[in-house]
């Protein structure tokens, strides 16, 4: 548990982690397990921010925040490995080349970030039955920024497949609406 006293009513919050929702949930759970008060802004309003490029970053990369007096301890807690998280004898470590390689660092960081954001817009738009227009709207800028990268961005084939299948999902959504209206 936390040995340092934390002000229960902080004046503000300090961001200690920003990343994909799954990782943010793990970080939040770890901090709460260690006794930190945790706040995730807009946690219940996640899908409303998906209406544009800037909103998507906020919607898909939640920030995990703690009181300012505990920020340093929380960062140390996040970066440290527990004994339980060490690889056990009956487990094996994934090979280094298991995941798709990250883009080369020579590529402009803003272009990489924009390409990932557009990819997420397409993936999220394809996931919802009536999201095809949203997914297809972002396809052309995604392809343009992917071409400017000069290499395949992470999840490129998945993004293209999602964009191609989103019209089918859209038709399925319209059929469902029509069935409910009858």
């Amino acid at each position: 548990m936390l040995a340092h006293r934390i002000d229960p009513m902080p004046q503000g919050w300090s961001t200690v982690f920003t990343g994909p929702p799954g990782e943010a949930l793990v970080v939040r759970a770890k901090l709460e397990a260690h006794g930190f008060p945790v706040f995730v802004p807009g946690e219940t309003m996640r899908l409303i921010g998906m209406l544009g490029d800037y909103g998507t970053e906020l919607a898909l990369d939640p920030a995990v925040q703690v009181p300012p007096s505990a920020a340093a301890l929380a960062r140390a807690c996040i970066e440290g490995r527990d004994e339980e998280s060490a690889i056990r004898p009956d487990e094996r470590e994934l090979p280094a080349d298991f995941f798709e390689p990250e883009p080369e660092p020579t590529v402009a960081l803003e272009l990489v970030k924009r390409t990932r954001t557009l990819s997420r817009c397409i993936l999220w738009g394809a996931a919802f039955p009536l999201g095809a227009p949203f997914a297809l709207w972002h396809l052309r800028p995604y392809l343009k920024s992917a071409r400017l990268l000069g290499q395949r961005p992470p999840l490129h084939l998945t993004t293209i497949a999602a964009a191609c299948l989103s019209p089918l999902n859209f038709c399925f959504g319209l059929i469902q609406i029509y069935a409910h209206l009858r």
Side-chain angles (χ1 to χ4, degrees):
M1 284 297 153
L2 193 61
H4 178 70
R5 175 151 167 42
I6 297 174
D7 181 13
M9 298 298 286
Q11 296 300 321
W13 294 89
S14 295
T15 301
V16 293
F17 177 82
T18 302
E23 290 179 33
L25 286 173
V26 171
V27 168
R28 177 186 185 152
K30 183 174 185 176
L31 291 175
E32 286 177 343
H34 283 85
F36 290 94
V38 179
F39 175 65
V40 179
E43 185 174 35
T44 58
M45 304 297 286
R46 222 27 89 215
L47 296 177
I48 291 176
M50 290 182 49
L51 300 176
D53 291 344
Y54 301 108
T56 305
E57 276 303 312
L58 295 174
L60 299 178
D61 287 337
V64 177
Q65 298 179 340
V66 297
S69 61
L73 288 172
R75 285 187 184 96
C77 179
I78 292 169
E79 293 169 4
R81 287 185 63 133
D82 298 334
E83 292 90 33
E84 300 97 34
S85 65
I87 295 175
R88 297 181 193 105
D90 58 333
E91 296 177 331
R92 61 187 177 106
E93 204 167 339
L94 292 173
D97 61 345
F98 182 78
F99 297 102
E100 293 181 27
E102 292 290 322
E104 294 294 321
T106 57
V107 179
L109 236 48
E110 284 300 316
L111 184 59
V112 171
K113 187 175 180 181
R114 174 148 175 79
T115 306
R116 284 185 181 165
T117 300
L118 291 168
S119 173
R120 288 179 184 157
C121 288
I122 292 168
L123 292 171
W124 275 95
F128 296 102
L130 299 178
F134 183 75
L136 295 175
W137 175 265
H138 289 88
L139 182 60
R140 186 168 185 228
Y142 170 78
L143 292 173
K144 185 183 270 187
S145 64
R147 187 177 313 122
L148 289 173
L149 279 175
Q151 61 189 18
R152 261 191 200 167
L155 298 174
H156 179 68
L157 294 177
T158 306
T159 304
I160 298 301
C164 292
L165 293 175
S166 66
L168 292 174
N169 200 14
F170 183 77
C171 291
F172 177 73
L174 289 177
I175 291 170
Q176 292 295 333
I177 290 173
Y178 179 74
H180 286 284
L181 292 176
R182 286 184 31 184

